[in-house]
Amino acid sequence: MQLKSARLSPYLVAACLVGLCADPGAADGVKPGPASMDRLGGRPEPDVTLTPHRAVYELSLAKSVGAKSPTAAHGRIAFDFSGSACDGYVQNFRQMTELQPAEGPTRVSDMLSSTFEDGAGSSFDFKMQTRVDNDAAETVDGKAVKSRAGPIQVSLAKPKRGKLELGEDVVFPTEHLKRIIAAAEAGQSVLELKVFDGSDTGEKLFETTTYIGRPTTAPAEDKAAQIPELAGMTRWPVSISYFEADRKDDGPSYVLAFDLYQNGVSRALKLDYGDFVLSGALSSLEIASAPPCAR
């Protein structure tokens, strides 16, 4: 199977390494009972303050089933988030993953992603580069802009020049995160949004369903999370199912679960591809000072 990892969402890279990528229905999300199926109606501007931080997660194989699943896995995610609602948000992401398939040599991927999203969630610049083993790196580069009364306009420079339009009800990744936190603070348990993150060839749109669990302020197990800035802060267990647009009945392409703090910091990652699950343990966390913003 020829790998196209640079053209995928960061969390699908690992699945492609063992021949399991883009398998509709491969991952099953949490299915809460009807009593918890509240919806967050409308799209109010979320009043959420995100904290600049740098986090490192150590990846390991948590679960593996099926003949095509990996027998071993390890890697690392480095995540750097900065900015504010006034200046916009910058995310730098790097994921290195080494997987041992059931047959064949170990596969190694290295993915870098850099994005800028303005504070109002109205523009999104994205650049992603992925290298698998010794193959040539593949790059996605583009910009998406929301108009005040119309669809989102996406302009692509790589892998090939092009333009496309998305519906005005689509959000970008940082706004997505802010809306999840706002829904959690409002006591909601389910949030459904369409999300554009520049993955695949820069043309893929995801429909997402986020399930939000009960809040807690108990100390986290991770030593890296046992810092004064997080002491006593509310966090929620969150599970996000990613569906290809207009294919929600086929089941999610993958499920990302984690504990989400009120300030946007995450811990206890789980990347579920159905046939195997990767865990991401928070090993390092640095909280940076936030720039003044009166917004």
PDB file of all heavy atoms in Angstrom, residues 48-72:
ATOM      1  N   VAL A  48     -14.021  31.922  26.228  1.00  0.00           N
ATOM      2  CA  VAL A  48     -13.046  30.971  26.742  1.00  0.00           C
ATOM      3  C   VAL A  48     -11.650  31.559  26.568  1.00  0.00           C
ATOM      4  O   VAL A  48     -11.310  32.068  25.498  1.00  0.00           O
ATOM      5  CB  VAL A  48     -13.137  29.619  25.991  1.00  0.00           C
ATOM      6  CG1 VAL A  48     -12.016  28.694  26.414  1.00  0.00           C
ATOM      7  CG2 VAL A  48     -14.496  28.967  26.233  1.00  0.00           C
ATOM      8  N   THR A  49     -10.848  31.497  27.624  1.00  0.00           N
ATOM      9  CA  THR A  49      -9.466  31.959  27.549  1.00  0.00           C
ATOM     10  C   THR A  49      -8.539  30.750  27.516  1.00  0.00           C
ATOM     11  O   THR A  49      -8.551  29.922  28.427  1.00  0.00           O
ATOM     12  CB  THR A  49      -9.111  32.840  28.758  1.00  0.00           C
ATOM     13  OG1 THR A  49      -9.979  33.986  28.776  1.00  0.00           O
ATOM     14  CG2 THR A  49      -7.665  33.316  28.670  1.00  0.00           C
ATOM     15  N   LEU A  50      -7.762  30.644  26.454  1.00  0.00           N
ATOM     16  CA  LEU A  50      -6.833  29.533  26.285  1.00  0.00           C
ATOM     17  C   LEU A  50      -5.437  29.942  26.744  1.00  0.00           C
ATOM     18  O   LEU A  50      -4.990  31.056  26.477  1.00  0.00           O
ATOM     19  CB  LEU A  50      -6.797  29.086  24.825  1.00  0.00           C
ATOM     20  CG  LEU A  50      -8.138  28.618  24.241  1.00  0.00           C
ATOM     21  CD1 LEU A  50      -7.978  28.269  22.761  1.00  0.00           C
ATOM     22  CD2 LEU A  50      -8.687  27.427  25.019  1.00  0.00           C
ATOM     23  N   THR A  51      -4.754  29.042  27.425  1.00  0.00           N
ATOM     24  CA  THR A  51      -3.443  29.322  27.988  1.00  0.00           C
ATOM     25  C   THR A  51      -2.332  28.875  27.050  1.00  0.00           C
ATOM     26  O   THR A  51      -2.308  27.710  26.637  1.00  0.00           O
ATOM     27  CB  THR A  51      -3.282  28.592  29.338  1.00  0.00           C
ATOM     28  OG1 THR A  51      -4.251  29.099  30.255  1.00  0.00           O
ATOM     29  CG2 THR A  51      -1.887  28.788  29.900  1.00  0.00           C
ATOM     30  N   PRO A  52      -1.394  29.753  26.695  1.00  0.00           N
ATOM     31  CA  PRO A  52      -0.223  29.316  25.911  1.00  0.00           C
ATOM     32  C   PRO A  52       0.570  28.265  26.685  1.00  0.00           C
ATOM     33  O   PRO A  52       0.784  28.405  27.900  1.00  0.00           O
ATOM     34  CB  PRO A  52       0.585  30.605  25.734  1.00  0.00           C
ATOM     35  CG  PRO A  52      -0.410  31.716  25.917  1.00  0.00           C
ATOM     36  CD  PRO A  52      -1.379  31.209  26.944  1.00  0.00           C
ATOM     37  N   HIS A  53       0.990  27.222  25.986  1.00  0.00           N
ATOM     38  CA  HIS A  53       1.734  26.166  26.679  1.00  0.00           C
ATOM     39  C   HIS A  53       2.485  25.294  25.680  1.00  0.00           C
ATOM     40  O   HIS A  53       2.193  25.292  24.485  1.00  0.00           O
ATOM     41  CB  HIS A  53       0.792  25.300  27.522  1.00  0.00           C
ATOM     42  CG  HIS A  53      -0.218  24.533  26.721  1.00  0.00           C
ATOM     43  ND1 HIS A  53      -1.375  25.104  26.234  1.00  0.00           N
ATOM     44  CD2 HIS A  53      -0.258  23.225  26.331  1.00  0.00           C
ATOM     45  CE1 HIS A  53      -2.084  24.200  25.578  1.00  0.00           C
ATOM     46  NE2 HIS A  53      -1.416  23.046  25.620  1.00  0.00           N
ATOM     47  N   ARG A  54       3.450  24.569  26.213  1.00  0.00           N
ATOM     48  CA  ARG A  54       4.182  23.561  25.446  1.00  0.00           C
ATOM     49  C   ARG A  54       3.999  22.227  26.153  1.00  0.00           C
ATOM     50  O   ARG A  54       4.217  22.140  27.366  1.00  0.00           O
ATOM     51  CB  ARG A  54       5.667  23.905  25.338  1.00  0.00           C
ATOM     52  CG  ARG A  54       5.953  25.222  24.659  1.00  0.00           C
ATOM     53  CD  ARG A  54       7.464  25.476  24.576  1.00  0.00           C
ATOM     54  NE  ARG A  54       7.762  26.777  23.981  1.00  0.00           N
ATOM     55  CZ  ARG A  54       7.879  27.898  24.667  1.00  0.00           C
ATOM     56  NH1 ARG A  54       7.737  27.873  25.985  1.00  0.00           N
ATOM     57  NH2 ARG A  54       8.140  29.037  24.056  1.00  0.00           N
ATOM     58  N   ALA A  55       3.614  21.210  25.399  1.00  0.00           N
ATOM     59  CA  ALA A  55       3.365  19.893  25.991  1.00  0.00           C
ATOM     60  C   ALA A  55       4.018  18.811  25.151  1.00  0.00           C
ATOM     61  O   ALA A  55       4.085  18.913  23.925  1.00  0.00           O
ATOM     62  CB  ALA A  55       1.863  19.632  26.102  1.00  0.00           C
ATOM     63  N   VAL A  56       4.503  17.767  25.834  1.00  0.00           N
ATOM     64  CA  VAL A  56       5.079  16.608  25.166  1.00  0.00           C
ATOM     65  C   VAL A  56       4.341  15.367  25.660  1.00  0.00           C
ATOM     66  O   VAL A  56       4.101  15.208  26.863  1.00  0.00           O
ATOM     67  CB  VAL A  56       6.591  16.467  25.454  1.00  0.00           C
ATOM     68  CG1 VAL A  56       7.141  15.191  24.823  1.00  0.00           C
ATOM     69  CG2 VAL A  56       7.334  17.694  24.938  1.00  0.00           C
ATOM     70  N   TYR A  57       3.965  14.500  24.715  1.00  0.00           N
ATOM     71  CA  TYR A  57       3.248  13.272  25.026  1.00  0.00           C
ATOM     72  C   TYR A  57       4.041  12.076  24.508  1.00  0.00           C
ATOM     73  O   TYR A  57       4.469  12.069  23.348  1.00  0.00           O
ATOM     74  CB  TYR A  57       1.858  13.275  24.388  1.00  0.00           C
ATOM     75  CG  TYR A  57       1.006  14.474  24.755  1.00  0.00           C
ATOM     76  CD1 TYR A  57       1.061  15.646  23.990  1.00  0.00           C
ATOM     77  CD2 TYR A  57       0.151  14.436  25.844  1.00  0.00           C
ATOM     78  CE1 TYR A  57       0.302  16.750  24.328  1.00  0.00           C
ATOM     79  CE2 TYR A  57      -0.629  15.534  26.182  1.00  0.00           C
ATOM     80  CZ  TYR A  57      -0.550  16.697  25.412  1.00  0.00           C
ATOM     81  OH  TYR A  57      -1.312  17.790  25.744  1.00  0.00           O
ATOM     82  N   GLU A  58       4.238  11.068  25.352  1.00  0.00           N
ATOM     83  CA  GLU A  58       4.931   9.847  24.956  1.00  0.00           C
ATOM     84  C   GLU A  58       3.898   8.836  24.477  1.00  0.00           C
ATOM     85  O   GLU A  58       2.972   8.476  25.210  1.00  0.00           O
ATOM     86  CB  GLU A  58       5.726   9.279  26.131  1.00  0.00           C
ATOM     87  CG  GLU A  58       6.737  10.256  26.730  1.00  0.00           C
ATOM     88  CD  GLU A  58       7.796  10.704  25.733  1.00  0.00           C
ATOM     89  OE1 GLU A  58       8.137   9.918  24.822  1.00  0.00           O
ATOM     90  OE2 GLU A  58       8.283  11.850  25.870  1.00  0.00           O
ATOM     91  N   LEU A  59       4.051   8.369  23.233  1.00  0.00           N
ATOM     92  CA  LEU A  59       3.092   7.452  22.637  1.00  0.00           C
ATOM     93  C   LEU A  59       3.490   6.005  22.871  1.00  0.00           C
ATOM     94  O   LEU A  59       4.667   5.645  22.795  1.00  0.00           O
ATOM     95  CB  LEU A  59       2.990   7.703  21.130  1.00  0.00           C
ATOM     96  CG  LEU A  59       2.500   9.088  20.694  1.00  0.00           C
ATOM     97  CD1 LEU A  59       2.534   9.198  19.170  1.00  0.00           C
ATOM     98  CD2 LEU A  59       1.087   9.356  21.213  1.00  0.00           C
ATOM     99  N   SER A  60       2.488   5.170  23.124  1.00  0.00           N
ATOM    100  CA  SER A  60       2.715   3.731  23.269  1.00  0.00           C
ATOM    101  C   SER A  60       1.473   2.991  22.791  1.00  0.00           C
ATOM    102  O   SER A  60       0.384   3.575  22.658  1.00  0.00           O
ATOM    103  CB  SER A  60       3.014   3.372  24.727  1.00  0.00           C
ATOM    104  OG  SER A  60       1.926   3.725  25.566  1.00  0.00           O
ATOM    105  N   LEU A  61       1.633   1.707  22.516  1.00  0.00           N
ATOM    106  CA  LEU A  61       0.529   0.885  22.038  1.00  0.00           C
ATOM    107  C   LEU A  61      -0.312   0.437  23.224  1.00  0.00           C
ATOM    108  O   LEU A  61       0.159  -0.282  24.106  1.00  0.00           O
ATOM    109  CB  LEU A  61       1.069  -0.324  21.273  1.00  0.00           C
ATOM    110  CG  LEU A  61       0.035  -1.242  20.612  1.00  0.00           C
ATOM    111  CD1 LEU A  61      -0.744  -0.488  19.534  1.00  0.00           C
ATOM    112  CD2 LEU A  61       0.715  -2.476  20.023  1.00  0.00           C
ATOM    113  N   ALA A  62      -1.588   0.864  23.265  1.00  0.00           N
ATOM    114  CA  ALA A  62      -2.470   0.512  24.373  1.00  0.00           C
ATOM    115  C   ALA A  62      -3.317  -0.711  24.073  1.00  0.00           C
ATOM    116  O   ALA A  62      -3.689  -1.464  24.981  1.00  0.00           O
ATOM    117  CB  ALA A  62      -3.394   1.689  24.705  1.00  0.00           C
ATOM    118  N   LYS A  63      -3.631  -0.916  22.784  1.00  0.00           N
ATOM    119  CA  LYS A  63      -4.511  -2.022  22.412  1.00  0.00           C
ATOM    120  C   LYS A  63      -4.251  -2.374  20.955  1.00  0.00           C
ATOM    121  O   LYS A  63      -4.005  -1.491  20.130  1.00  0.00           O
ATOM    122  CB  LYS A  63      -5.976  -1.610  22.608  1.00  0.00           C
ATOM    123  CG  LYS A  63      -7.002  -2.659  22.190  1.00  0.00           C
ATOM    124  CD  LYS A  63      -8.418  -2.108  22.362  1.00  0.00           C
ATOM    125  CE  LYS A  63      -9.459  -3.098  21.863  1.00  0.00           C
ATOM    126  NZ  LYS A  63     -10.842  -2.556  21.976  1.00  0.00           N
ATOM    127  N   SER A  64      -4.313  -3.665  20.641  1.00  0.00           N
ATOM    128  CA  SER A  64      -4.103  -4.110  19.270  1.00  0.00           C
ATOM    129  C   SER A  64      -4.899  -5.388  19.045  1.00  0.00           C
ATOM    130  O   SER A  64      -4.738  -6.361  19.773  1.00  0.00           O
ATOM    131  CB  SER A  64      -2.613  -4.360  19.012  1.00  0.00           C
ATOM    132  OG  SER A  64      -2.392  -4.773  17.680  1.00  0.00           O
ATOM    133  N   VAL A  65      -5.774  -5.381  18.040  1.00  0.00           N
ATOM    134  CA  VAL A  65      -6.573  -6.561  17.698  1.00  0.00           C
ATOM    135  C   VAL A  65      -6.577  -6.720  16.183  1.00  0.00           C
ATOM    136  O   VAL A  65      -6.494  -5.748  15.448  1.00  0.00           O
ATOM    137  CB  VAL A  65      -8.022  -6.453  18.223  1.00  0.00           C
ATOM    138  CG1 VAL A  65      -8.059  -6.428  19.726  1.00  0.00           C
ATOM    139  CG2 VAL A  65      -8.728  -5.223  17.656  1.00  0.00           C
ATOM    140  N   GLY A  66      -6.673  -7.933  15.702  1.00  0.00           N
ATOM    141  CA  GLY A  66      -6.736  -8.162  14.265  1.00  0.00           C
ATOM    142  C   GLY A  66      -5.381  -8.477  13.664  1.00  0.00           C
ATOM    143  O   GLY A  66      -4.334  -8.102  14.179  1.00  0.00           O
ATOM    144  N   ALA A  67      -5.406  -9.154  12.528  1.00  0.00           N
ATOM    145  CA  ALA A  67      -4.184  -9.637  11.887  1.00  0.00           C
ATOM    146  C   ALA A  67      -3.314  -8.509  11.347  1.00  0.00           C
ATOM    147  O   ALA A  67      -2.096  -8.661  11.238  1.00  0.00           O
ATOM    148  CB  ALA A  67      -4.545 -10.606  10.759  1.00  0.00           C
ATOM    149  N   LYS A  68      -3.920  -7.373  10.998  1.00  0.00           N
ATOM    150  CA  LYS A  68      -3.154  -6.280  10.395  1.00  0.00           C
ATOM    151  C   LYS A  68      -2.670  -5.250  11.421  1.00  0.00           C
ATOM    152  O   LYS A  68      -2.018  -4.278  11.050  1.00  0.00           O
ATOM    153  CB  LYS A  68      -4.001  -5.568   9.343  1.00  0.00           C
ATOM    154  CG  LYS A  68      -4.303  -6.400   8.111  1.00  0.00           C
ATOM    155  CD  LYS A  68      -5.064  -5.573   7.078  1.00  0.00           C
ATOM    156  CE  LYS A  68      -5.344  -6.370   5.824  1.00  0.00           C
ATOM    157  NZ  LYS A  68      -6.065  -5.558   4.808  1.00  0.00           N
ATOM    158  N   SER A  69      -2.987  -5.449  12.658  1.00  0.00           N
ATOM    159  CA  SER A  69      -2.637  -4.471  13.683  1.00  0.00           C
ATOM    160  C   SER A  69      -1.157  -4.548  14.035  1.00  0.00           C
ATOM    161  O   SER A  69      -0.526  -5.596  13.897  1.00  0.00           O
ATOM    162  CB  SER A  69      -3.473  -4.712  14.940  1.00  0.00           C
ATOM    163  OG  SER A  69      -4.841  -4.587  14.650  1.00  0.00           O
ATOM    164  N   PRO A  70      -0.587  -3.445  14.510  1.00  0.00           N
ATOM    165  CA  PRO A  70       0.829  -3.456  14.892  1.00  0.00           C
ATOM    166  C   PRO A  70       1.061  -4.304  16.138  1.00  0.00           C
ATOM    167  O   PRO A  70       0.183  -4.446  16.986  1.00  0.00           O
ATOM    168  CB  PRO A  70       1.129  -1.981  15.158  1.00  0.00           C
ATOM    169  CG  PRO A  70      -0.191  -1.401  15.548  1.00  0.00           C
ATOM    170  CD  PRO A  70      -1.204  -2.121  14.715  1.00  0.00           C
ATOM    171  N   THR A  71       2.255  -4.843  16.241  1.00  0.00           N
ATOM    172  CA  THR A  71       2.620  -5.625  17.415  1.00  0.00           C
ATOM    173  C   THR A  71       3.367  -4.778  18.445  1.00  0.00           C
ATOM    174  O   THR A  71       3.507  -5.182  19.594  1.00  0.00           O
ATOM    175  CB  THR A  71       3.494  -6.820  17.010  1.00  0.00           C
ATOM    176  OG1 THR A  71       4.658  -6.346  16.319  1.00  0.00           O
ATOM    177  CG2 THR A  71       2.718  -7.753  16.076  1.00  0.00           C
ATOM    178  N   ALA A  72       3.865  -3.635  18.024  1.00  0.00           N
ATOM    179  CA  ALA A  72       4.556  -2.720  18.934  1.00  0.00           C
ATOM    180  C   ALA A  72       4.478  -1.311  18.358  1.00  0.00           C
ATOM    181  O   ALA A  72       4.360  -1.136  17.146  1.00  0.00           O
ATOM    182  CB  ALA A  72       6.012  -3.134  19.126  1.00  0.00           C
TER     183      ALA A  72
END
